[in-house]
């Protein structure tokens, strides 16, 4: 591979994690647009997301070990020693500070962590990214070497959203259409429960309801039991 290498450690499944894949993709897109190469390291990843990452010119290395296990740490470390990336970016709530500290990084590889909740999210990274609208988390206790990128300037937005030319949707005086989406996997069946509650009310029974099911939503999910005209 030519160009500087970025590796991203993230997982996605029906239980969650699709947001971690999709927000890190914003960084991968920008990295690649500047002449770099990106490799995702994943222990679990639905095929739909695999295809999406490959369409974005990202490589994907699949792990065979149980996520965050001692075996996985060794397997990931071995991959990193082989790839020798410039940066390793970690995004996922299961990748604890002890997990990060246990990884054997190549000598020149720098570590970046996406953090949602503060200093308890990381051990000793070179960079921590707090990608949220409001800058409410206290990072004063972060290690001296850690650069903190926090606030609305660092929200991770993918290129297909930034480049949209769609006009704003006009406000409809009386509701006719309702769009429901609950993320990439909807493990709590929130879409199904929302539809159930909405259809209990006579006022809403004439609504045209459309539900977007995420790529990790299972084929046995409850939403597949709803008839299109119900």
């Amino acid at each position: 591979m030519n160009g500087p290498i970025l590796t991203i450690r993230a997982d996605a499944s029906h239980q969650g994690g699709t947001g971690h894949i999709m927000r890190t993709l914003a960084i991968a897109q920008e990295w690649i647009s500047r002449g770099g190469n990106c490799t995702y390291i994943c222990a679990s990843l639905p095929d739909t997301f695999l295809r999406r990452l490959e369409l974005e010119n990202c490589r994907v290395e699949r792990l065979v070990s149980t996520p965050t296990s001692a075996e996985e740490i060794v397997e990931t470390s071995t991959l990193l020693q082989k790839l020798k990336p410039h940066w390793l970016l970690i995004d996922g709530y299961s990748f604890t500070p002890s997990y990060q500290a246990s990884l054997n990084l190549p000598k020149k590889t720098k570590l970046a962590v996406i953090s949602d909740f503060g200093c308890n999210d990381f051990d000793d990274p070179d960079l921590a990214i707090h990608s949220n609208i409001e800058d409410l988390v206290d990072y004063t206790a972060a290690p001296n070497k850690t650069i903190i990128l926090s606030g609305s300037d660092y929200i991770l937005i993918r290129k297909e959203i930034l480049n949209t030319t769609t006009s704003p949707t006009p406000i409809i005086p009386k509701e006719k259409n309702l769009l429901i989406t609950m993320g990439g996997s909807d493990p709590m069946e929130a879409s199904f429960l929302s539809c159930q509650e909405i259809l209990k009310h006579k006022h809403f029974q004439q609504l045209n309801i459309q539900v977007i099911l995420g790529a990790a939503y299972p084929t046995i999910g409850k939403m597949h039991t709803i008839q299109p005209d119900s």
Side-chain angles (χ1 to χ4, degrees), residues 89-156:
L89 174 64
I90 293 178
D91 189 4
Y93 301 139
S94 62
F95 304 130
T96 62
S98 61
Y99 172 90
Q100 299 166 31
S102 297
L103 291 171
N104 181 20
L105 302 184
K107 185 176 181 180
K108 294 184 179 181
T109 297
K110 294 184 177 181
L111 176 63
V113 176
I114 295 185
S115 166
D116 289 319
F117 306 112
C119 296
N120 290 334
D121 290 337
F122 49 78
D123 176 55
D124 189 29
D126 298 279
L127 180 67
I129 304 170
H130 181 70
S131 178
N132 293 280
I133 293 176
E134 295 183 336
D135 185 8
L136 299 177
V137 178
D138 183 8
Y139 286 100
T140 56
N144 290 333
K145 81 166 190 178
T146 302
I147 298 172
I148 305 294
L149 302 182
S150 180
S152 57
D153 287 343
Y154 302 103
I155 294 174
L156 302 176

Side-chain angles (χ1 to χ4, degrees), residues 19-40:
H20 301 304
I21 295 291
M22 297 310 291
R23 68 180 178 181
T24 57
L25 181 56
I27 295 178
Q29 289 173 333
E30 184 65 22
W31 185 274
I32 292 170
S33 74
R34 298 187 183 200
N37 291 275
C38 179
T39 297
Y40 274 80

